[in-house]
Each structure stands twice: as structure tokens, then as C-alpha cells.
Amino acid sequence: MNMVKLPTKKADLFLRVAKGHFATSHSHINYYIDVTMQKTRLSEARAVARELVSAYKATTIVDTVLCLDGTEVIGACLASELTRDGFVNMNAHQTIYIVTPEHTTGSQLLFRDNTTPMITGKHVLILAASVTTGYTVQAAIEAVKYYGGMVAGLAAIFATVKECEGYPVASIFDPNDLPDYQTYDSHECPFCKAGQRIDALVNSYGYSKL
């Protein structure tokens, strides 16, 4: 994988990308965007949280951050930023919970009895590594509502959409930072039609070369 680090308008944040033919579980894409460092390196996770918090600070009630795609470090940093200046939350403990769901074999999200109190009746901010097709975030929205929570917002490092299920998506990077980024239905992929082999299977956790 020929990974390239692209500078952006944000001095302390970078896009690490590889160009090629990649397959996700829902689509084919021409760029793999690596967010490993943002999710695992504390300094970058803090930078992501500081950037995202401006979309919610003093305007949105957040009781719980629901972390998808291994974004727990960012979620903890985001909760810290949200509570730094007396940010409003409505739960009895006056704190913000950081929650990770389980995934069933049918890709549904599941919360156990010990974690459902952190969702039920709470304002839940859904945090994802990326939002492109929106399938993962849609499942999270459905789960929050099923367990009696209220969706406070959607946040991501990279997103190709401005909203999902009627909720605005706040992201740090979007296709403006990567103008030739493309996503295709697997049956309509021009790379496949041209006989170009898939370089790697990818998701928000990483890649596996073929």
C-alpha cells in the first residue's frame, strides 16, 4: 500500500490515503483513507476532538458518546472537551458516558443490560470513523431509538454526506479535501468492469491486501 500523507487546512491534522481499487462491505472506492493514527495516537485524537467539538459546544445536550469503528479514544477526548467549560448534560451524574455497542451476526447493534441505562433517556452523540454509504450510522441511529435514547448528533473524521436519516453529519474531512474521491456500487464499479483487480479489502479498522 503506497500511503501518502496529505496536508490540509488544519495544521495539526492530516489525511493519510492510498489511491487504488478498494472494496468495502457496501461499496467500491478509489481511495483508502487511513484513520488509524487519529483513533490510536492521543495527540491526534485530541486534535480531532477539538475540531469536532465546535459543532456541539453550548448548542447540543450530550449525555453519552456512542463510539463506532474503534473511536473510543476520540470519544473520551471529545467528552473531555464537552465538559471542560461546564457544557450542559442532563443525566443525574453530570458526566458523559463513553459506550461501545456489540454487533450481532446480522450487523445490528446490541447493548447489554448494564449499558442500556447509558442510552435510555439519554442524548446520544454518535461518533464514527467515517460516514460514506451511511449503513453503519443508520444502524446506530436505529439502535439508539430502539433503546429509548435521543440522537444528539452524528460526528465523523471523514464523511461524504452532509446528513443521514435527517440528522446533520459533522466531519473534519470531506470530498473537498479529496476532490477526486469516488464511491461506487459494487455492480457498477468501473474498475471491475475494466478488469482491474481489487487492491485490498478495507473498512474503518484497516485493510487486507489481496
Side-chain angles (χ1 to χ4, degrees):
M1 294 279 283
N2 182 25
M3 205 71 66
V4 177
K5 187 164 71 172
L6 301 178
T8 69
K9 296 177 182 178
K10 303 160 184 67
D12 53 353
L13 291 168
F14 299 88
L15 270 179
R16 296 176 179 88
V17 304
K19 193 169 186 178
H21 180 196
F22 306 104
T24 75
S25 57
H26 303 296
S27 63
H28 286 201
I29 51 179
N30 65 333
Y31 274 100
Y32 166 61
I33 300 171
D34 186 6
V35 295
T36 305
M37 292 299 106
Q38 286 97 333
K39 293 193 298 182
T40 60
R41 182 180 288 169
L42 184 57
S43 59
E44 295 199 32
R46 282 175 175 159
V48 169
R50 285 194 297 268
E51 192 70 28
L52 288 174
V53 77
S54 61
Y56 305 104
K57 207 166 190 177
T59 60
T60 308
I61 298 171
V62 177
D63 300 304
T64 300
V65 179
L66 174 57
C67 298
L68 308 176
D69 309 328
T71 57
E72 289 84 359
V73 178
I74 298 172
C77 292
L78 186 56
S80 179
E81 290 292 328
L82 287 170
T83 55
R84 186 183 301 278
D85 296 319
F87 186 80
V88 178
N89 55 55
M90 298 296 288
N91 66 74
H93 298 99
Q94 294 296 292
T95 189
I96 294 179
Y97 301 102
I98 311 296
V99 181
T100 303
E102 287 185 52
H103 292 266
T104 69
T105 52
S107 298
Q108 292 178 310
L109 274 61
L110 171 70
F111 296 97
R112 299 290 178 176
D113 291 353
N114 53 309
T115 56
T116 52
M118 303 174 192
I119 302 294
T120 305
K122 301 296 190 293
H123 299 82
V124 182
L125 175 61
I126 298 171
L127 175 64
S130 63
V131 180
T132 51
T133 59
Y135 290 117
T136 302
V137 170
Q138 286 173 15
I141 292 170
E142 291 173 1
V144 168
K145 291 181 176 179
Y146 176 81
Y147 285 95
M150 295 153 283
V151 177
L154 310 175
I157 300 172
F158 179 80
T160 59
V161 295
K162 295 295 184 183
E163 67 171 40
C164 183
E165 297 292 305
Y167 298 97
V169 178
S171 68
I172 298 175
F173 304 115
D174 59 35
N176 290 322
D177 298 293
L178 209 57
D180 57 340
Y181 178 90
Q182 295 291 332
T183 180
Y184 309 99
D185 181 274
S186 59
H187 300 293
E188 299 298 328
C189 175
F191 299 122
C192 292
K193 290 181 177 180
Q196 182 178 333
R197 290 176 57 84
I198 293 172
D199 296 309
L201 302 177
V202 303
N203 62 20
S204 58
Y205 292 96
Y207 63 90
S208 297
K209 293 192 293 185
L210 297 179

